[in-house]
Amino acid sequence: MKTKGILIFIFLIQLAFAQSGRYAASFLELGVGARTMGMGSAGVAATGQVTAPFWNPAGLAMVERLQAGSMYANLFNKLEQQSYFGFVLPVMKNSVVGISWMRLSIDEIPRYDFDEDSPITAYQRLHGQAQQLTYGPVDYFSNQNDVFIFTFARLIPTKFDLGWQYFEIPVKFGFGLNLKYISQQLDRNKATGIGIDIGWLMSLNLNDIFAGEYYGVLNFGLNVQDLAETRMVWDTESRHVDRLKRNFKYGVQYTQPLAFLDSDLILAYDVNTKYDGNTHLGAELLIKSLFALRVGSNFGHLTAGAGLLLWKFRVNYAFQGHDLGNSHRVSLTLVF
């Protein structure tokens, strides 16, 4: 008796992200936006970017104008395709809403017949312990992963009275909420789930604290992803459930004006709990609010990038090193 078996090389790709398959929906960890990705994917404490829902929804609280962003990339020697589109809109005083979509897909995955009673098993073939197949696939299938995110963020500016006469420190607090619908389709089977992320951000202008003119802005951020440990339910007979573990992401960012260059230097650092302290480090030099150079480390892998700010357009490029192959991303943001 012959049955259809699937040689799913996609699993080899996804396992590299999910550390031996311990976590579901690992495609969400790719992130979006070439600016942040060029800085080692350190974006938890960043503010005012259309891509904020993927890093920290509270970052949207400081968006002042309507923004639309997009990105497309071929990853890992063109094995995977990543697409993204996002839109954010200030709707009332100190409130912002956003809608985002991201897809990661692989097309034309070959499917082969194999003999269930054969002494050569599918496991042996997958691990190189059997002779290679000498015949072609019977057909092809695809793997498609999507996430749709609705975000609401609120900015709360306040002042802290430290007890000194005539001295109060202005502080900006941002709060954000993601409601996300996740869909994963592998061949004929599909898994879906609904998850919640919450974010917090605090921004301090150090000039207000030290009564100076040459200090910068210090941000602290926290993003709790999959607050209720999102359940991904497959439409198989067993109704198999994958669970996305709760992840705490902490970040700090410092922006230092360089008056002698008419430029800004941004330093960012993130750490999260999901992979036992996965760290992200990045830096950006923004020259005359026109051109940016970036470098970073994404969990030990080199990242780099550049950006051009021209009229209402922000064009960004990112390079990311990875064991499965280096990747290049270009993203476009339009600020109205």
Side-chain angles (χ1 to χ4, degrees):
M1 173 183 176
K2 286 190 176 183
T3 60
K4 288 186 177 179
I6 302 175
L7 300 180
I8 309 175
F9 66 83
I10 182 179
F11 282 171
L12 302 179
I13 296 172
Q14 291 186 332
L15 293 184
F17 283 98
Q19 291 194 354
S20 300
R22 287 185 295 168
Y23 304 108
S26 58
F27 77 100
L28 296 173
E29 297 160 26
L30 284 173
V32 299
R35 182 191 179 195
T36 302
M37 301 186 82
M39 297 174 63
S41 295
V44 174
T47 63
Q49 300 181 51
V50 65
T51 57
F54 287 86
W55 309 105
N56 184 355
L60 279 192
M62 298 181 192
V63 169
E64 299 178 348
R65 300 165 65 183
L66 187 153
Q67 295 184 27
S70 64
M71 186 185 77
Y72 178 82
N74 283 309
L75 307 179
F76 314 129
N77 298 318
K78 299 184 178 181
L79 288 177
E80 292 184 313
Q81 295 79 45
Q82 184 185 16
S83 303
Y84 156 78
F85 178 78
F87 177 85
V88 297
L89 175 68
V91 291
M92 60 185 76
K93 185 178 180 180
N94 298 331
S95 297
V96 181
V97 296
I99 298 175
S100 308
W101 164 76
M102 192 263 281
R103 169 176 291 176
L104 184 71
S105 61
I106 297 181
D107 297 320
E108 297 186 353
I109 305 172
R111 189 201 319 270
Y112 292 88
D113 278 342
F114 69 90
D115 192 342
E116 187 179 61
D117 299 322
S118 170
I120 300 175
T121 66
Y123 177 88
Q124 290 174 312
R125 290 197 178 106
L126 286 172
H127 291 79
Q129 300 173 8
Q131 188 176 3
Q132 294 295 318
L133 297 173
T134 58
Y135 50 89
V138 296
D139 62 11
Y140 296 86
F141 66 99
S142 63
N143 170 257
Q144 187 169 290
N145 306 274
D146 291 277
V147 61
F148 299 88
I149 304 177
F150 174 78
T151 306
F152 176 80
R154 176 77 175 172
L155 175 66
I156 303 178
T158 187
K159 292 184 179 181
F160 278 148
D161 186 348
L162 299 182
W164 304 339
Q165 189 175 13
Y166 307 118
F167 191 77
E168 293 181 326
I169 299 176
V171 181
K172 294 180 179 179
F173 288 103
F175 299 89
L177 172 71
N178 280 343
L179 180 63
K180 56 189 182 184
Y181 172 79
I182 308 167
S183 171
Q184 293 184 277
Q185 183 160 351
L186 180 60
D187 195 16
R188 301 179 182 90
N189 293 112
K190 185 176 182 179
T192 57
I194 296 177
I196 296 174
D197 306 330
I198 58 173
W200 168 89
L201 194 142
M202 180 176 71
S203 182
L204 295 166
N205 190 326
L206 299 188
N207 285 323
D208 296 326
I209 298 177
F210 299 109
E213 298 179 357
Y214 307 106
Y215 299 102
V217 177
L218 182 63
N219 296 340
F220 298 94
L222 168 65
N223 182 17
V224 184
Q225 296 178 315
D226 298 296
L227 180 66
E229 298 200 339
T230 306
R231 298 172 72 252
M232 298 292 296
V233 182
W234 288 89
D235 61 358
T236 57
E237 291 184 7
S238 65
R239 304 294 292 177
H240 176 77
V241 175
D242 290 327
R243 189 174 290 274
L244 280 66
K245 291 189 176 181
R246 188 180 302 110
N247 183 31
F248 292 85
K249 301 184 71 172
Y250 308 91
V252 59
Q253 177 178 289
Y254 179 66
T255 303
Q256 175 62 54
L258 303 176
F260 64 97
L261 292 176
D262 190 19
S263 303
D264 293 304
L265 176 64
I266 300 174
L267 303 175
Y269 176 77
D270 287 0
V271 62
N272 65 59
T273 60
K274 195 169 187 178
Y275 291 124
D276 301 321
N278 190 342
T279 59
H280 310 269
L281 179 66
E284 175 187 76
L285 178 62
L286 179 60
I287 303 170
K288 297 183 181 295
S289 298
L290 178 64
F291 183 72
L293 295 173
R294 307 180 184 105
V295 68
S297 172
N298 180 21
F299 201 30
H301 293 97
L302 173 68
T303 69
L308 179 65
L309 290 72
L310 186 62
W311 191 48
K312 297 179 181 293
F313 295 94
R314 312 288 187 265
V315 182
N316 293 297
Y317 162 79
F319 163 86
Q320 283 198 324
H322 197 277
D323 295 336
L324 292 175
N326 301 330
S327 63
H328 305 269
R329 292 175 171 85
V330 176
S331 63
L332 174 67
T333 300
L334 179 60
V335 182
F336 294 89

